[in-house]
Amino acid sequence: MARVGIVMGSDSDMPVMAQAAAVLEKLGVDFEMTIISAHREPDVFFQYAKSAEERGYKVIIAGAGKAAHLPGMCAALFPMPVIGIPMKTSDLGGVDSLYSIVQMPSGIPVATVAINGGTNAGILAAKILAASDEALLERLKKYSEDLKRDVVKKAEKLDEIGYKAYLEGMKK
């Protein structure tokens, strides 16, 4: 049974939402992903959000651009945490999406990550679940150690070859 629902308003959001899915997959967290337009098919959306708890979801990650109602409406209908991912838009660069998601009325919170922050949304969902899942918490700790190790390796390489050679290597 999936513990995280990942929902987006358009397939154009898929590259960002796939980042959340990739992190959850790496951490061994079951999820389901779908596309639902809150504006174009409200009946389908309401059914999704209202039935998410009985389907076993503990967290919903919702990505949306422009008016960005999907995360807030999920939070209005789903009693557990919702993480909103504001999508970068061509019109206003995603600031419109960010404002729509973070400016929720009192009583309807939506945790919000950076514009196009799919990876952080996946990590945050896993951290929420890890509060009651010791095995997942250990996997998250290992994930963090791996990130730290990657930075150390990069610093060692920079020290070894110098910044000009490092930059040249990045161009390739």
Side-chain angles (χ1 to χ4, degrees):
M1 184 179 296
R3 295 195 290 167
V4 178
I6 300 176
V7 62
M8 65 203 93
S10 169
D11 63 346
S12 64
D13 302 334
M14 184 61 76
V16 173
M17 302 309 282
Q19 295 170 10
V23 169
L24 292 172
E25 203 167 275
K26 184 173 188 165
L27 293 169
V29 176
D30 293 328
F31 64 90
E32 292 177 346
M33 184 184 297
T34 194
I35 301 167
I36 301 172
S37 172
H39 298 115
R40 294 181 186 97
E41 48 185 7
D43 51 333
V44 174
F45 166 75
F46 274 86
Q47 178 60 32
Y48 171 85
K50 284 186 171 188
S51 66
E53 181 182 9
E54 68 189 46
R55 288 194 322 274
Y57 294 2
K58 302 297 181 195
V59 180
I60 291 177
I61 299 172
K66 298 190 179 190
H69 291 122
L70 195 61
M73 288 302 296
C74 283
L77 297 168
F78 179 65
M80 288 182 266
V82 173
I83 302 167
I85 304 175
M87 294 295 157
K88 185 173 183 180
T89 59
S90 57
D91 300 328
L92 299 171
V95 174
D96 50 341
S97 310
L98 176 66
Y99 288 165
S100 291
I101 296 171
V102 299
Q103 294 296 334
M104 292 299 298
S106 294
I108 313 293
V110 174
T112 309
V113 296
I115 295 167
N116 283 357
T119 298
N120 276 352
I123 293 168
L124 181 55
K127 286 185 173 196
I128 290 167
L129 295 171
S132 61
D133 183 335
E134 192 66 36
L136 178 55
L137 180 59
E138 290 307 312
R139 293 192 301 274
L140 272 164
K141 288 177 182 178
K142 182 188 178 315
Y143 180 86
S144 293
E145 283 300 314
D146 291 345
L147 291 176
K148 178 181 173 182
R149 200 172 5 267
D150 289 346
V151 172
V152 170
K153 285 179 186 176
K154 291 174 185 177
E156 288 170 351
K157 182 177 178 183
L158 177 61
D159 290 344
E160 179 183 315
I161 65 174
Y163 80 93
K164 287 183 182 178
Y166 192 89
L167 289 174
E168 284 302 314
M170 289 177 68
K171 291 178 186 176
K172 294 178 184 177

